[in-house]
Amino acid sequence: MRLLIIILPVLVSSSLFAQTIGGSSVFNFLKLPHTPQLTALGGVNVSVTSNDVGLAFNNPSLLKKEMHTQMNAVFNNFYAGINTYHLSFGYRHEKLKTNFGWGLSYFDYGKISQTDAMGNILGAMKPTDWVMQVSVSRSYLQKWNYGTSFKFISSNYGIYRSNGIAMDFGVLFTDTANLVSVSLVAKNMGYQLKKYAGTEAEELPFDLQFGITKKLKKAPLAFSFTAHHLHQFDIRYNDTVFNNENNGVENESNFTLDKVFRHFVFAAQVFPVPQIEITIGYNHLLRQELNIANTTNGLNGFSMGVGLVVKKIQVRYARTQYQNNTAYDQLGLSLQLNEHFGLGKFGERIGW
């Protein structure tokens, strides 16, 4: 823990003072939501405390002892034949009073023709991106939980290959009496170890996120507010030619307000019965970046999801809108393996 306290400020400071605008960092697939509940919550959320080990992949401070032996698997068919896979696992070591997690997200872009400058086909390649991480979390007193994740990242695009290392660090405060949870997370603090051939070193997509979730005492409702990129005010993709051609000149007051709201993601959850959760989310940055001028843009930036949560299994489905006629669907399954294989609480049969 002392070592972590020493190296964390170094990594944060290096990330804060070397930031890039949207789209110009490396390993941007790290910003995508890997699990259905996170997708349904708007793609960015750090404060929802449901018993879903998939959320702990996004925020290590959400990893808790109730996730012991829980496995989360997500299979997705993305656009243009792209397939994405996610697997994560939670483990509680009672003697150490420490929670451990492991996760892998893999992006398979299919088979792509490889050509020369004249367009002659030279062969084929199978580009991939993947990240593997190990997480650790512990509790402090009764209301605090803190955790960190260590990542190894790899991108392979034919002869162009790169890899890097990164770390996430999160702190969670939970007030069960008032049904409030608050979290702060620093994500993707790290370095590109191997550069793509013929390129300079690039920055990782660092993000500083803060979130609050409040559940109502007398109604089966919960609301979440999340702010991202707190270290950088203007997070618009700064293509002035495109902006002028498609958006024209904006009113200065609306322009500033839009830049503020691009940091915010809003979500709500309804629990009609304890076993069912219904989620809706809105991501203003996503909507603004996907909108096309002078046309209807439907539900861009909105997301929804539904989940069935029982003792031994959790099934979740999410759908988020990309343009007015295109959406992305995710389906995830979580199994409590100790329940299925008859292990006692926290692995009693395996000699803890």
Side-chain angles (χ1 to χ4, degrees), residues 159-163 192-202:
I159 62 172
Y160 298 97
R161 298 171 179 267
S162 178
N163 56 56
Q192 186 182 20
L193 298 177
K194 180 181 179 181
K195 301 177 293 184
Y196 295 109
T199 66
E200 298 294 328
E202 301 174 83

Side-chain angles (χ1 to χ4, degrees), residues 6 9 12 55-56 92 120-121 158 236 244 253 327 338 346 351:
I6 294 173
V12 171
L55 287 182
R92 168 72 174 182
N120 300 310
I121 297 177
R236 297 168 302 135
N244 291 334
S253 61
N338 61 341
F346 305 140

Side-chain angles (χ1 to χ4, degrees), residues 182-199:
V182 182
S183 184
L184 178 68
V185 183
K187 298 177 63 66
N188 301 322
M189 300 175 288
Y191 302 93
Q192 186 182 20
L193 298 177
K194 180 181 179 181
K195 301 177 293 184
Y196 295 109
T199 66

Side-chain angles (χ1 to χ4, degrees), residues 65-330:
K65 64 182 181 181
E66 289 80 7
M67 297 174 184
H68 173 63
T69 73
Q70 184 185 129
M71 181 185 71
N72 175 245
V74 184
F75 305 94
N76 308 285
N77 186 6
F78 209 57
Y79 298 103
I82 299 173
N83 293 310
T84 68
Y85 311 95
H86 172 81
L87 184 66
S88 54
F89 183 77
Y91 190 82
R92 168 72 174 182
H93 198 296
E94 191 62 25
K95 289 184 179 179
L96 297 178
K97 298 188 181 302
T98 302
N99 310 303
F100 296 91
W102 173 89
L104 172 69
S105 282
Y106 187 88
F107 293 75
D108 180 2
Y109 300 102
K111 193 174 182 179
I112 299 176
S113 297
Q114 190 170 357
T115 64
D116 60 17
M118 301 299 295
N120 300 310
I121 297 177
L122 304 177
M125 63 177 179
K126 296 188 67 176
T128 60
D129 285 321
W130 59 270
V131 56
M132 183 183 296
Q133 70 180 46
V134 176
S135 303
V136 182
S137 78
R138 298 194 70 181
S139 60
Y140 177 71
L141 300 179
Q142 294 183 339
K143 297 183 178 181
W144 294 90
N145 208 54
Y146 59 93
T148 187
S149 295
F150 300 94
K151 307 179 181 181
F152 181 80
I153 312 154
S154 178
S155 286
N156 304 283
Y157 310 137
I159 62 172
Y160 298 97
R161 298 171 179 267
S162 178
N163 56 56
I165 56 173
M167 185 180 81
D168 298 347
F169 181 79
V171 178
L172 174 71
F173 172 81
T174 305
D175 186 347
T176 54
N178 294 300
L179 303 179
V180 174
S181 56
V182 182
S183 184
L184 178 68
V185 183
K187 298 177 63 66
N188 301 322
M189 300 175 288
Y191 302 93
Q192 186 182 20
L193 298 177
K194 180 181 179 181
K195 301 177 293 184
Y196 295 109
T199 66
E200 298 294 328
E202 301 174 83
E203 301 299 330
L204 272 65
F206 173 78
D207 196 358
L208 185 62
Q209 301 175 354
F210 173 81
I212 301 175
T213 296
K214 167 65 177 176
K215 295 181 180 179
L216 302 186
K217 291 185 177 181
K218 298 184 179 180
L221 297 171
F223 299 94
S224 290
F225 164 82
T226 308
H228 56 91
H229 292 90
L230 294 175
H231 59 285
Q232 184 177 359
F233 176 63
D234 190 355
I235 57 174
R236 297 168 302 135
Y237 186 81
N238 193 19
D239 187 335
T240 55
V241 175
F242 178 85
N243 293 337
N244 291 334
E245 291 178 351
N246 290 273
N247 300 316
V249 179
E250 298 186 59
N251 178 274
E252 182 62 30
S253 61
N254 293 337
F255 185 65
T256 303
L257 188 62
D258 174 67
K259 288 194 289 186
V260 172
F261 271 92
R262 287 184 186 229
H263 290 268
F264 299 152
V265 178
F266 305 93
Q269 292 184 293
V270 184
F271 309 95
V273 295
Q275 297 79 19
I276 299 293
E277 62 181 33
I278 300 171
T279 306
I280 57 173
Y282 174 68
N283 186 320
H284 188 67
L285 174 66
L286 189 62
R287 180 171 180 83
Q288 293 300 95
E289 291 189 340
L290 293 175
N291 279 354
I292 299 175
N294 303 318
T295 186
T296 58
N297 289 288
L299 295 175
N300 287 356
F302 287 89
S303 56
M304 60 80 63
V306 62
L308 171 66
V309 182
V310 292
K311 184 177 181 180
K312 295 184 179 182
I313 189 171
Q314 302 177 34
V315 182
R316 288 186 172 90
Y317 163 80
R319 182 178 178 89
T320 186
Q321 197 74 20
Y322 290 86
Q323 305 304 327
N324 58 2
N325 61 348
T326 309
Y328 172 43
D329 298 301
Q330 279 187 316

